[in-house]
């Protein structure tokens, strides 16, 4: 097993930086479907551009490299203790090398272990099988999409769809609802794994297991095959679109599995995965630990179409484009309307969960008057001279800051917040009262945004760990879309409302 460590290191690096080909094919097909000039088309162009940049830079596709979850099938006699040790060593090294963000935090204190190791992380699961080789798979599923997982207990009442009973049609309704409730917050267009049956634990386990299926496989069960096809076709009629901006593609894949349940329970568990669907696998020789074969990576190179950067520019010309540079005046903010594309130059400050809580109780370490806050937990690397470099820096889900955001903007005079997935009524009200704007960046486009960051000018509150610290970033040409303005408009509220109306069209029974 002398090569097992190196094989696991490669598996981690490839999974974080090289999106599987079956996923690329699904994204390329979605890109074809969107008409040029729409916000969704622009977002997909940024996404495909980002995928290519991650290839070239061998850097994380998305800054949130998730909870690394390994699943191994091993022949009798393979030493699981050694494999576990080597996987942990590879995780530690990949974190040091900037291929994984330090993501393991103490659940109560929030302390970051710094190396992705800790109680319960990474997840490593073994199963024995009769084959004479090792099948090792890894999924890096980020937090934003994980938070959109949902579990239904049938029978139940669902928004837009009414009663969902204990039958295939009730299951259909739950799955359609799961896509609606995710909106753009799990970085749509997404993939879902569905587990029917089991208990609350094994149901979710089964749902996640489905995410290891190939995007283009066909369910062996005829009823589930039909349901999978139905869901992909009709979920795309909800009009949620890329990032929840509206559009043709909301769901890129649906895989459904079933296990038995006990009479009183009937769970439908849904695991939502963002477009940055990072899962790979390898077949390994159990004698020397070398990789014999890569999974999901067969087929031709995927061509995402013509020059993405040019396409982004050309398409965004069809919407109004405004350049912002902090400090920003209230007047300038009040000129902005939902749909405007904004290019930011100059300074912005990162702030996510820990910072928002901190700012609600303390003074800010920097003057935030007229400034821009970026909901982002980047991947950072320190060079020999002690200077930090950004390796990946896309937005995080903003809604988690809903309880704090409005008050903090008013108290510190912040004029713009950048994040993804939108915020709620409390923030919208504060934007109106104070003169603020919410800017939606493209979730998962961590290489694209890292490239816009020209320098790291400082950092505060490092005690919260790298992803949660307040980074002072100097940017150039950082592009985002106004999705909530100071006039009471929210694209997120609009898309939620219209998609709920569309969801109601799927109320009538389909599967008997
Ligand atoms: O933690 C992050 O950086 C982002 C997270 O995956 C999210 O989608 O909100
Ligand atoms: S930011 Fe978006 S793309 Fe990245 S892990 Fe979170 S949900 Fe996925």
């Amino acid at each position: 097993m002398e090569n097992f460590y190196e094989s696991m290191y490669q598996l981690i690096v490839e999974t974080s930086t090289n999106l599987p080909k079956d996923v690329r094919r699904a994204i390329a097909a979605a890109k074809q479907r969107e008409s040029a000039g729409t916000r969704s088309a622009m977002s997909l162009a940024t996404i495909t551009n980002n995928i290519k940049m991650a290839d070239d830079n061998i850097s994380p596709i998305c800054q949130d490299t998730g909870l690394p979850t390994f699943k191994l099938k091993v022949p009798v006699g393979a030493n699981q203790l050694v494999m576990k040790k080597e996987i942990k060593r590879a995780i530690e090294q990949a974190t040091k090398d900037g291929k994984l963000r330090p993501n393991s935090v103490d659940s109560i204190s929030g302390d970051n272990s710094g190396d992705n190791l800790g109680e319960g992380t990474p997840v490593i699961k073994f199963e024995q099988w009769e084959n004479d080789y090792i099948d090792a798979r890894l999924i890096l599923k980020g937090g934003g999409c994980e938070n959109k997982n949902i579990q239904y207990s049938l029978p139940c009442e669902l928004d837009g769809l009414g009663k969902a009973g204990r039958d295939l049609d009730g299951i259909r309704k739950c799955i359609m609802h799961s896509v609606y409730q995710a909106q753009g917050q799990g970085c749509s267009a997404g993939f879902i794994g569905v587990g029917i049956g089991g208990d609350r634990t094994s149901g979710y386990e089964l749902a996640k297991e489905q995410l290891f299926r190939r995007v283009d496989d066909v369910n062996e069960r005829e009823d589930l095959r039909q349901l999978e096809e139905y869901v992909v076709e009709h979920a795309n009629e909800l009009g949620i679109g890329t990032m929840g901006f509206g559009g043709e593609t909301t769901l890129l894949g649906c895989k459904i599995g079933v296990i038995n349940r006990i009479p009183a329970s009937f769970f439908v568990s849904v695991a939502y995965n963002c477009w940055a669907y990072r899962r790979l696998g390898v077949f390994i020789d159990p004698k020397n630990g070398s990789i014999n074969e890569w999974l999901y990576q067969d087929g031709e190179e995927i061509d995402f179409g013509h020059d993405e950067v040019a396409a982004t520019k050309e398409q965004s010309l069809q919407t109004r484009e405004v350049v912002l540079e902090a400090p920003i005046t209230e007047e300038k903010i009040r000129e902005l309307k939902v749909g405007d594309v904004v290019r930011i130059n100059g300074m912005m400050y990162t702030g996510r969960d820990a910072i928002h809580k901190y700012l609600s109780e303390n003074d800010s370490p920097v003057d935030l008057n007229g400034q821009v806050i970026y909901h982002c937990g980047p991947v950072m690397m320190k060079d020999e001279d002690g200077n930090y470099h950004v390796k990946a820096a896309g937005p995080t889900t903003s809604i988690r800051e809903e309880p704090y955001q409005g008050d903090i903007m008013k108290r510190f005079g912040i004029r713009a917040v950048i994040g993804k997935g939108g915020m709620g009524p409390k923030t919208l009200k504060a934007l109106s009262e104070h003169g603020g704007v919410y800017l939606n960046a493209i979730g998962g486009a961590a290489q694209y945004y890292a490239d816009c960051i020209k320098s790291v000018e400082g950092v505060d509150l490092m005690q919260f760990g790298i992803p949660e610290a307040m980074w002072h970033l100097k940017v150039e040409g950082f592009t985002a879309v106004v999705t909530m303005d100071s006039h009471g408009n929210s694209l997120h509220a609009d898309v939620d409302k219209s998609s709920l109306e569309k969801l109601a069209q799927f109320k009538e029974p389909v599967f008997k």
Side-chain angles (χ1 to χ4, degrees):
M1 288 290 274
E2 66 274 17
N3 299 326
F4 188 76
Y5 162 80
E6 180 55 31
S7 298
M8 288 300 102
Y9 181 81
Q10 276 185 40
L11 177 62
I12 297 163
V13 173
E14 285 295 300
T15 308
S16 178
T17 62
N18 182 357
L19 202 66
K21 282 203 186 140
D22 60 337
V23 176
R24 289 178 193 236
R25 278 190 286 271
I27 293 173
K31 194 162 172 250
Q32 293 257 311
R33 282 194 296 272
E34 295 291 347
S35 32
T38 59
R39 278 188 293 270
S40 273
M42 203 181 99
S43 314
L44 278 166
T46 304
I47 285 171
T48 52
N49 190 18
N50 184 74
I51 295 169
K52 283 197 213 153
M53 291 172 86
D55 288 340
D56 295 344
N57 304 341
I58 319 182
S59 281
I61 297 163
C62 175
Q63 77 289 338
D64 184 1
T65 53
L67 171 61
T69 302
F70 292 85
K71 293 230 165 162
L72 293 99
K73 291 185 182 141
V74 299
V76 178
N79 190 332
Q80 298 182 11
L81 296 176
V82 169
M83 286 187 259
K84 215 178 211 171
K85 218 170 92 212
E86 298 294 59
I87 288 175
K88 288 189 179 168
R89 200 154 71 83
I91 283 279
E92 200 179 348
Q93 189 59 44
T95 311
K96 269 201 196 116
D97 296 343
K99 311 298 179 188
L100 294 176
R101 186 177 71 185
N103 249 5
S104 177
V105 298
D106 182 289
S107 281
I108 296 169
S109 68
D111 291 346
N112 195 316
S113 72
D115 57 7
N116 268 311
L117 302 180
E119 237 5 271
T121 53
V123 175
I124 308 171
K125 287 181 181 155
F126 290 99
E127 194 185 309
Q128 271 191 344
W129 70 350
E130 301 208 349
N131 293 328
D132 61 358
Y133 58 94
I134 298 168
D135 173 323
R137 304 198 189 203
L138 167 63
I139 185 163
L140 300 173
K141 185 175 187 295
C145 59
E146 183 67 13
N147 292 348
K148 298 321 288 186
N149 291 0
I150 187 164
Q151 191 166 55
Y152 301 90
S153 174
L154 290 174
C156 62
E157 281 285 323
L158 298 170
D159 287 345
L161 294 167
K163 193 183 323 95
R166 293 185 146 201
D167 51 25
L168 201 56
D169 206 62
I171 295 166
R172 173 191 70 89
K173 287 188 176 179
C174 293
I175 304 174
M176 289 299 288
H177 183 270
S178 74
V179 179
Y180 156 74
Q181 62 86 40
Q183 291 291 302
Q185 288 172 1
C187 290
S188 59
F191 297 82
I192 52 172
V194 181
I196 304 170
D199 61 7
R200 287 199 184 271
T201 309
S202 62
Y204 262 136
E205 189 73 46
L206 178 66
K208 288 200 167 178
E209 191 60 43
Q210 302 306 306
L211 295 175
F212 283 106
R213 283 173 52 192
R214 284 175 64 110
V215 175
D216 52 8
D217 76 357
V218 176
N219 203 314
E220 284 169 8
R221 274 185 65 140
E222 180 54 18
D223 51 354
L224 298 185
R225 181 195 68 75
Q226 283 180 21
L227 186 54
E228 288 176 356
E229 279 180 15
Y230 171 93
V231 170
V232 173
E233 182 184 342
H234 296 290
N236 283 321
E237 290 164 14
L238 294 174
I240 295 165
T242 312
M243 291 299 126
F245 288 168
E248 304 303 320
T249 309
T250 298
L251 192 67
L252 293 167
C254 169
K255 302 290 164 189
I256 307 173
V258 61
I259 51 176
N260 282 11
R261 57 184 174 83
I262 52 174
S265 306
F266 197 138
F267 297 112
V268 177
S269 313
V270 183
Y272 189 98
N273 206 107
C274 47
W275 67 261
Y277 182 12
R278 290 153 290 170
R279 58 100 177 83
L280 281 177
V282 285
F283 291 156
I284 287 180
D285 181 333
K287 286 188 207 72
N288 58 20
S290 301
I291 295 174
N292 281 337
E293 193 178 327
W294 283 89
L295 307 175
Y296 312 105
Q297 291 291 34
D298 53 301
E300 313 253 301
E301 292 302 318
I302 288 90
D303 179 7
F304 286 120
H306 64 296
D307 180 15
E308 310 301 339
V309 183
T312 313
K313 282 202 181 117
E314 175 194 308
Q315 287 157 5
S316 60
L317 284 182
Q318 299 180 22
T319 36
R320 202 167 78 99
E321 199 180 301
V322 182
V323 175
L324 288 183
E325 189 154 352
I328 310 166
T329 61
E330 179 179 352
E331 197 186 352
K332 181 107 188 169
I333 289 296
R334 297 242 181 235
E335 281 169 16
L336 294 171
K337 300 260 159 50
V338 164
D340 290 343
V341 173
V342 162
R343 279 181 202 275
I344 302 160
N345 298 328
M347 290 305 295
M348 61 174 67
Y349 300 88
T350 66
R352 50 180 292 165
D353 309 71
I355 297 290
H356 280 77
K357 181 168 184 293
Y358 180 88
L359 290 180
S360 73
E361 295 158 356
N362 299 278
D363 266 349
S364 171
V366 288
D367 181 5
L368 291 173
N369 201 20
Q371 298 297 322
V372 181
I373 288 285
Y374 182 23
H375 297 159
C376 169
V379 180
M380 289 286 185
M381 288 264 283
K382 209 179 195 172
D383 63 21
E384 295 97 49
D385 305 327
N387 297 320
Y388 280 103
H389 301 275
V390 184
K391 301 305 279 180
T396 192
T397 317
S398 303
I399 195 71
R400 297 194 307 270
E401 318 315 337
E402 180 68 3
Y404 308 109
Q405 195 68 80
D407 297 340
I408 287 176
M409 286 185 88
K410 287 181 185 168
R411 211 170 110 225
F412 295 101
I414 297 161
R415 289 285 168 214
V417 293
I418 312 170
K420 61 137 174 133
M423 303 193 72
K426 196 171 167 215
T427 303
L428 190 61
K429 189 159 169 268
L431 296 180
S432 278
E433 289 167 356
H434 161 68
V437 74
Y438 176 82
L439 304 169
N440 204 120
I442 311 302
Q447 290 306 309
Y448 174 80
Y449 290 114
D451 195 50
C452 299
I453 298 169
K454 298 306 167 193
S455 60
V456 179
E457 303 276 295
V459 60
D460 283 300
L461 303 168
M462 257 306 249
Q463 67 267 33
F464 296 138
I466 284 178
E468 297 277 349
M470 180 186 265
W471 295 94
H472 310 188
L473 307 175
K474 195 171 201 171
V475 306
E476 214 176 277
F478 187 111
T479 306
V481 183
V482 177
T483 54
M484 294 166 69
D485 63 23
S486 61
H487 310 284
N489 304 308
S490 163
L491 178 69
H492 309 283
D494 294 350
V495 170
D496 193 318
K497 186 163 170 276
S498 67
S499 58
L500 180 60
E501 282 161 20
K502 288 178 184 139
L503 184 68
Q505 294 168 7
F506 304 110
K507 196 172 179 166
E508 294 310 315
V510 178
F511 292 93
K512 300 285 180 298

